[in-house]
């Protein structure tokens, strides 16, 4: 671990982590915004269109074709970053993980206080009767998954055009506002309103870990560029 990062971690027992897609990339889950030839040949719409509220209802079968192919990675395992954060929580240093990811890998690594801004693929519900379903309900069928009542099963993930859960937002704001050190990792900070949560931080140190520059770099106490798993792995 970088010596400056190690000092901030060792000197604080009120850390909060705010992370994005880059955290899970090292587990083999790509950022869905990245495109390749196969992607361009397979889908006629951009991902922001497919993963929208109106598209889900107007073209549900096509939504699920993309969702299963590009958004679900049931065999993915926590990487060094997930494990390092879980270890910091177990040591009483990390108070919360705030994530934009929907894959559940923080919980799989052992983190307990995880605030999922955009929901989770592991939670689903019937849009008619409200019955809850796990991920298997989506993976075990082709086409549109349905409840025994006939209702369409919808993932509990925040689609474009949908509002974030206000309770999760409030808890995230409170955690960031109370943090002594805020570590931001694996996110370009270009997705709002999630990225706007950083403005509530008033603690001692803002640490940014990312492969590329972010809007927060200028005001950060420490900026580290590279793979977050490698950087956090020795925490």
């Amino acid at each position: 671990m970088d010596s400056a990062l190690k000092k901030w971690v060792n000197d604080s027992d009120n850390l909060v982590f705010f992370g994005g897609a880059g955290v899970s990339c090292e587990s083999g889950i790509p950022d869905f915004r990245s495109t390749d030839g196969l992607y361009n040949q397979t889908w006629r719409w951009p991902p922001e269109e497919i993963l929208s509220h109106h598209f889900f209802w107007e073209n549900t079968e096509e939504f699920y074709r993309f969702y299963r192919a590009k958004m679900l990675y049931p065999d993915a395992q926590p990487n060094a970053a997930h494990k390092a954060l879980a270890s910091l929580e177990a040591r009483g240093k990390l108070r919360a993980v705030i994530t934009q990811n929907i894959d559940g890998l923080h919980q799989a690594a052992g983190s307990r206080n995880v605030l999922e801004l955009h929901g989770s693929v592991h939670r689903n519900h019937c849009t008619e009767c409200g019955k809850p379903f796990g991920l298997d309900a989506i993976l075990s069928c082709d086409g549109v998954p349905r409840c025994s009542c006939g209702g369409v099963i919808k993932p509990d993930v925040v689609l474009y055009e949908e509002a974030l859960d206000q309770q999760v937002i409030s808890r995230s704001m409170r955690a960031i506002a109370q943090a002594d050190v805020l570590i931001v990792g694996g996110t370009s900070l270009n997705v709002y309103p999630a990225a706007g949560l950083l403005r509530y931080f008033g603690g001692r140190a803002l640490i940014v870990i990312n492969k590329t520059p972010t809007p927060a770099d200028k005001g950060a106490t420490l900026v580290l560029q590279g793979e977050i798993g490698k950087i956090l792995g020795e925490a």
Side-chain angles (χ1 to χ4, degrees), residues 4 48 114 125 186 213:
E48 290 85 356
V114 181
H125 70 278

Side-chain angles (χ1 to χ4, degrees), residues 1-217:
M1 180 190 286
D2 176 89
S3 59
L5 175 60
K6 182 172 287 189
K7 184 178 188 306
W8 282 115
V9 169
N10 288 338
D11 290 348
S12 175
D13 60 359
N14 189 3
L15 300 164
V16 167
F17 179 81
F18 179 96
V23 178
S24 292
C25 284
E26 294 172 43
S27 292
I29 301 178
D31 182 344
F32 77 86
R33 287 180 177 78
S34 62
T35 60
D36 53 35
L38 179 62
Y39 170 91
N40 289 326
Q41 293 167 17
T42 305
W43 282 277
R44 295 187 291 118
W45 305 271
E48 290 85 356
E49 174 75 8
I50 300 173
L51 295 173
S52 66
H53 180 84
H54 80 269
F55 194 94
F56 175 84
W57 288 111
E58 294 172 6
N59 202 340
T60 312
E61 188 164 354
E62 190 66 16
F63 168 91
Y64 270 112
R65 191 167 77 90
F66 178 89
Y67 185 73
R68 289 188 180 96
K70 288 290 184 178
M71 305 300 291
L72 301 181
Y73 293 85
D75 296 326
Q77 297 297 317
N79 61 50
H82 297 109
K83 294 173 183 177
L85 293 167
S87 174
L88 287 173
E89 184 185 43
R91 289 162 53 191
K93 289 188 167 292
L94 186 70
R95 298 296 179 88
V97 169
I98 302 169
T99 180
Q100 299 173 79
N101 296 336
I102 59 176
D103 50 50
L105 290 181
H106 285 293
Q107 292 93 327
S111 290
R112 297 190 175 202
N113 190 22
V114 181
L115 301 173
E116 296 171 309
L117 294 173
H118 296 152
S120 172
V121 300
H122 296 281
R123 296 189 301 272
N124 305 272
H125 70 278
C126 173
T127 56
E128 293 293 331
C129 70
K131 180 179 178 180
F133 292 89
L135 182 56
D136 284 347
I138 309 299
L139 295 173
S140 63
C141 69
D142 295 324
V144 179
R146 292 188 177 273
C147 176
S148 58
C149 77
V152 173
I153 298 174
K154 184 177 184 292
D156 287 349
V157 299
V158 179
L159 302 178
Y160 289 94
E161 304 166 349
E162 294 180 346
L164 273 62
D165 185 296
Q166 285 304 306
Q167 183 178 10
V168 176
I169 287 289
S170 296
R171 291 176 62 194
S172 300
M173 288 167 49
R174 187 160 54 250
I176 289 174
Q178 295 173 350
D180 180 41
V181 175
L182 177 62
I183 302 175
V184 177
T187 174
S188 62
L189 294 175
N190 288 325
V191 177
Y192 284 81
L197 290 170
L198 267 64
R199 70 179 183 271
Y200 294 99
F201 179 66
R204 291 192 301 138
L206 172 62
I207 299 168
V208 179
I209 307 170
N210 202 46
K211 286 185 176 181
T212 58
T214 79
D217 291 2

